[in-house]
Amino acid sequence: MDKRVRDLLNQQINKEFYSAYLYLDFSNYFSRVGLDGFANWYMIQAQEERDHAMLFYQYLQNENEDVTLEAIAKPDKVFEQHIDVLHAGLEHEKYVTSLINDIYEAAHDVKDFRTMQFLDWFVKEQGEEETNANDLITKMELFGSDPRSLYMLNSELAARVYSAPSLVL
Ligand code: FEO
């Protein structure tokens, strides 16, 4: 495998674990303020990010490439309002989309079609992640300022259940 492609794939393991850590921190924030549904939503988001990390890990292993595990950065954002957390989530997903695109471009440059095919799932997934983050912001803007509506939204988010990724390596 091309060295740049391998390095970017390896870095992505770390980025996805950081994403899991970040969402766990968001979940922690919402637990602290008593919004258990939001906490559940981000807890499941964190699980999905761990799955993403493991898919990159597994892909490199399947390709007989070395994996190097680096330190995971500390999530250090401080939030003033609940909606700030949601905005931070959307911004983070846009950043992750840019990372996936960078790996895709590097793979494309060296005609690494197998890696491009592997990444196709993530390209689609990032579209869904951004849509979900946007939808959450819209709902919060509509209902967040009314306590009764916020309670209903919290209940809706409490119902989110984890499902394993559709991509199997
Ligand atoms: Fe692994 Fe939310 O992107």
Side-chain angles (χ1 to χ4, degrees):
M1 184 184 288
D2 174 75
K3 184 179 179 310
R4 178 167 151 74
V5 173
R6 192 211 75 90
D7 287 351
L8 287 172
L9 288 167
N10 191 78
Q11 279 172 32
Q12 196 61 28
I13 298 172
N14 187 272
K15 301 285 185 185
E16 299 290 346
F17 274 126
Y18 172 76
S19 302
Y21 223 34
L22 184 70
Y23 288 132
L24 193 58
D25 198 39
F26 290 5
S27 182
N28 186 32
Y29 168 92
F30 282 115
S31 288
R32 223 166 25 223
V33 299
L35 288 168
D36 59 342
F38 284 78
N40 172 64
W41 200 90
Y42 282 112
M43 183 69 84
I44 289 168
Q45 197 66 24
Q47 177 61 54
E48 287 193 357
E49 300 300 350
R50 286 193 289 275
D51 291 341
H52 296 170
M54 292 310 296
L55 285 166
F56 282 97
Y57 175 90
Q58 195 60 57
Y59 179 70
L60 283 174
Q61 292 233 324
N62 289 359
E63 295 293 310
N64 284 314
E65 295 290 337
D66 283 343
V67 168
T68 308
L69 297 176
E70 305 287 354
I72 301 167
K74 177 182 178 179
D76 57 2
K77 287 188 169 45
V78 178
F79 302 108
E80 303 272 313
Q81 304 181 68
H82 304 334
I83 198 158
D84 295 343
V85 182
L86 278 52
H87 280 293
L90 176 60
E91 283 316 303
H92 184 69
E93 285 307 328
K94 286 181 179 172
Y95 168 63
V96 174
T97 297
S98 77
L99 296 175
I100 299 292
N101 289 348
D102 287 347
I103 312 173
Y104 206 104
E105 192 174 14
H108 182 267
D109 286 350
V110 295
K111 292 187 165 58
D112 181 348
F113 300 115
R114 196 155 51 219
T115 296
M116 287 161 67
Q117 193 175 48
F118 164 69
L119 289 172
D120 279 341
W121 185 86
F122 286 93
V123 172
K124 186 161 173 281
E125 175 73 6
Q126 281 312 120
E128 289 170 13
E129 297 270 66
E130 286 185 32
T131 300
N132 291 341
N134 257 317
D135 287 353
L136 206 50
I137 289 170
T138 303
K139 285 180 181 174
M140 195 63 161
E141 282 172 350
L142 283 170
F143 310 120
S145 56
D146 172 52
R148 221 173 303 180
S149 302
L150 181 61
Y151 180 81
M152 299 283 284
L153 180 55
N154 186 63
S155 302
E156 179 191 319
L157 299 181
R160 183 184 184 187
V161 291
Y162 168 74
S163 62
S166 55
L167 179 63
V168 180
L169 296 178

